[in-house]
Amino acid sequence: MSRPLVRVLGQGVRWASSLRGGGSAFPGLFMEKLHPGFVAEELAKLPRGVVVISGTNGKTTTTKMTVQLLRSQGLRVFTNRTGSNFVRGVAASLLAEMDAFGRLHADVAVLELDEAHAVHFVKQVQPRISLLLNVMRDQLDRFGEIDTTRRMLRQVARATTETVVLNREDPRIAGLAEDLSAGTAVSWFGLSDALRPMFPSDDDMREGLRQVDPGEQDSDVPSARRPDADVVLEAVNARSVELDVGGTSHEATVDLYGVYNQYNAAAALAVSLQVLGDDADVPALVAELGNVTPAFGRGETITVDGKPLQLLLVKNPAGFRLSLASASAQDYATMIAINDQYADGRDVSWLWDVDFDSLREGGVDLVSGVRAWDMALRLDYDLVRVGGVEPDLEDALKQFIAQSGDRPMRIFCTYTAMLSLRKILGGMTHVAAI
């Protein structure tokens, strides 16, 4: 079967799948089977190449920010916007964006990739630029310990042909600079000294923020020396940040929930500068940060019965801790929904590494999801009052909305719980398409 015919069939499969409300990955699986080189062949045609964004936390939001920044500078950007960050998800997104003649009208691809699947992707497609955000304990049942995740990201870094953009505050990420292929440059983003305690690395969470002597470290843990960064997050406020970009101070609006998204903004700006090079209009890029809206489920606010309901994705100790640190302690109706599907990670023991004391004053109105009782037990150990436990998400959501009164609502939820809640909410009110 000819490749053009396979591509047409793939587009047909994607169209049929969308009519049935099917997932985004199935058409990509079809292409993987019949035309394994499809993704590599199409992405090789892009004049500005491929940008890969990976790491434990912040991939989806940072990718969304980067795409918006580059488009604001006039580039045509292809991305896997559904958040399907496996290779087949990229193939499915390609089918969706191509015209009837199989042409992809794009200058650059900016792709969010799951750490494990990024390893397979870079064997097919060498990224021109990669952005590596952090390494945290996440889905240990799938990835193993965090040094395994770091080794995955090292393969991404070594496959990158031009520039790797690294988080200088994460010791496991920073160490990748010492193990790049010949000719690959390094760019850094980072934090001011004052902000470093707000964004602990995995080591910091276990041992406290400290400078580690290089002699104490093994081969997988880098030196503690901090290089100069191209973009530094200097200060954070409620809706704005101060950024140092190449030695020049800028103030930017970042109207996204959570201090972690303000750091993601610095990362997105750093990688955008590498893509644009001398063409970058820095003041315009900084101003565009104020126009970025939340990625689905990442601080996304949905109006239900005239009241705001915020969906807050949580999937590991660091992310949950930062989300709680950003949350108001009072005046919110609060629900937590914990699932243990493959995309969430089967092992939910990480909940015991989260400090829930900040919820003690207001309590949690309802706990739901497959692992609702595990979550309720965890809250009980931190003396957090739980109003009720309802494992069924649809029943829990309806009960939660009805009981919230005049209070704004927030739901801390794992990935598959978030997707289910968005679908249920779509039957009640307007929910933006993914």
Side-chain angles (χ1 to χ4, degrees):
M1 189 180 299
S2 69
R3 289 178 177 177
L5 179 57
V6 171
R7 188 262 308 162
V8 170
L9 289 173
Q11 288 180 296
V13 169
R14 189 221 163 252
W15 176 77
S17 180
S18 66
L19 288 180
R20 297 180 61 240
S24 63
F26 178 70
L29 177 61
F30 175 87
M31 293 303 293
E32 275 188 338
K33 298 297 185 183
L34 294 187
H35 184 3
F38 170 68
V39 170
E41 289 178 10
E42 296 304 324
L43 295 183
K45 300 173 184 177
L46 300 179
R48 290 188 183 246
V50 174
V51 178
V52 165
I53 297 176
S54 193
T56 306
N57 288 337
K59 294 186 291 293
T60 299
T61 297
T62 306
T63 299
K64 186 177 189 293
M65 287 181 175
T66 303
V67 169
Q68 185 162 333
L69 291 179
L70 295 178
R71 286 176 175 165
S72 75
Q73 300 272 294
L75 292 187
R76 299 173 299 173
V77 184
F78 163 73
T79 188
N80 49 337
R81 59 186 178 85
T82 64
S84 182
N85 54 21
F86 299 168
V87 178
R88 65 189 56 165
V90 177
S93 295
L94 279 168
L95 292 172
E97 295 297 323
M98 285 178 163
D99 64 20
F101 300 99
R103 294 175 299 206
L104 178 66
H105 301 285
D107 301 305
V108 63
V110 178
L111 304 174
E112 170 196 350
L113 291 177
D114 169 273
E115 301 96 302
H117 288 265
V119 172
H120 300 291
F121 180 85
V122 299
K123 291 177 182 177
Q124 303 176 36
V125 180
Q126 287 188 295
R128 173 183 158 227
I129 297 169
S130 61
L131 168 63
L132 304 179
L133 297 167
N134 43 58
V135 179
M136 296 284 182
R137 286 173 294 155
D138 185 51
Q139 299 190 39
L140 297 183
D141 54 305
R142 180 172 161 227
F143 289 153
E145 259 302 341
I146 56 175
D147 287 328
T148 302
T149 304
R150 181 186 182 273
R151 284 190 284 271
M152 294 173 185
L153 294 179
R154 180 172 59 189
Q155 294 186 58
V156 177
R158 287 186 61 81
T160 303
T161 60
E162 186 172 303
T163 304
V164 179
V165 183
L166 300 175
N167 177 2
R168 75 175 184 186
E169 315 305 344
D170 187 309
R172 287 177 173 78
I173 290 293
L176 298 175
E178 302 170 8
D179 195 21
L180 301 179
S181 299
T184 301
V186 179
S187 172
W188 302 93
F189 69 98
L191 299 164
S192 66
D193 290 340
L195 291 184
R196 288 188 70 213
M198 293 179 65
F199 300 87
S201 69
D202 192 84
D203 289 346
D204 295 334
M205 288 176 61
R206 289 183 291 112
E207 303 174 17
L209 187 61
R210 65 187 183 97
Q211 294 293 324
V212 181
D213 184 87
E216 299 178 15
Q217 304 182 29
D218 61 30
S219 61
D220 264 348
V221 183
S223 129
R225 183 176 59 84
R226 297 166 70 209
D228 293 335
D230 296 320
V231 178
V232 177
L233 183 63
E234 292 282 354
V236 298
N237 304 298
R239 295 179 59 248
S240 66
V241 298
E242 294 175 25
L243 295 163
D244 181 296
V245 184
T248 301
S249 180
H250 297 267
E251 184 169 341
T253 298
V254 180
D255 196 12
L256 300 176
Y257 173 87
V259 292
Y260 46 85
N261 279 328
Q262 294 174 321
Y263 196 25
N264 290 337
L269 181 57
V271 75
S272 297
L273 292 174
Q274 293 303 313
V275 174
L276 293 162
D278 293 338
D279 298 330
D281 182 339
V282 175
L285 284 168
V286 171
E288 184 63 26
L289 288 172
N291 297 323
V292 177
T293 55
F296 69 95
R298 279 81 170 175
E300 175 186 28
T301 298
I302 297 167
T303 301
V304 186
D305 293 343
K307 297 179 296 184
L309 187 157
Q310 196 171 42
L311 294 177
L312 303 167
L313 177 67
V314 293
K315 63 191 186 74
N316 54 45
F320 212 149
R321 284 187 181 195
L322 283 171
S323 193
L324 288 169
S326 301
S328 169
Q330 300 176 352
D331 301 328
Y332 270 82
T334 301
M335 174 173 156
I336 301 178
I338 304 296
N339 278 356
D340 65 352
Q341 306 304 317
Y342 175 77
D344 306 299
R346 300 286 187 183
D347 181 359
V348 297
S349 62
W350 60 269
L351 292 170
W352 293 89
D353 294 324
V354 182
D355 183 350
F356 292 99
D357 287 355
S358 63
L359 295 175
R360 192 174 293 161
E361 182 176 351
V364 173
D365 296 85
L366 200 63
V367 176
S368 187
V370 177
R371 302 299 286 269
W373 289 104
D374 297 79
M375 186 69 247
L377 177 64
R378 175 68 191 92
L379 292 171
D380 185 63
Y381 269 78
D382 273 0
L383 304 179
V384 177
R385 175 189 58 80
V386 175
V389 179
E390 173 49 72
D392 184 85
L393 283 171
E394 184 167 6
D395 290 345
L397 180 62
K398 291 177 180 178
Q399 181 180 334
F400 176 61
I401 293 170
Q403 294 179 351
S404 64
D406 295 329
R407 294 175 294 167
M409 299 169 284
R410 64 186 176 201
I411 304 178
F412 299 96
C413 46
T414 56
Y415 184 72
T416 65
M418 179 265 291
L419 292 180
S420 296
L421 288 167
R422 288 184 97 256
K423 186 175 181 180
I424 298 165
L425 286 165
M428 303 177 179
T429 186
H430 172 72
V431 176
I434 294 175

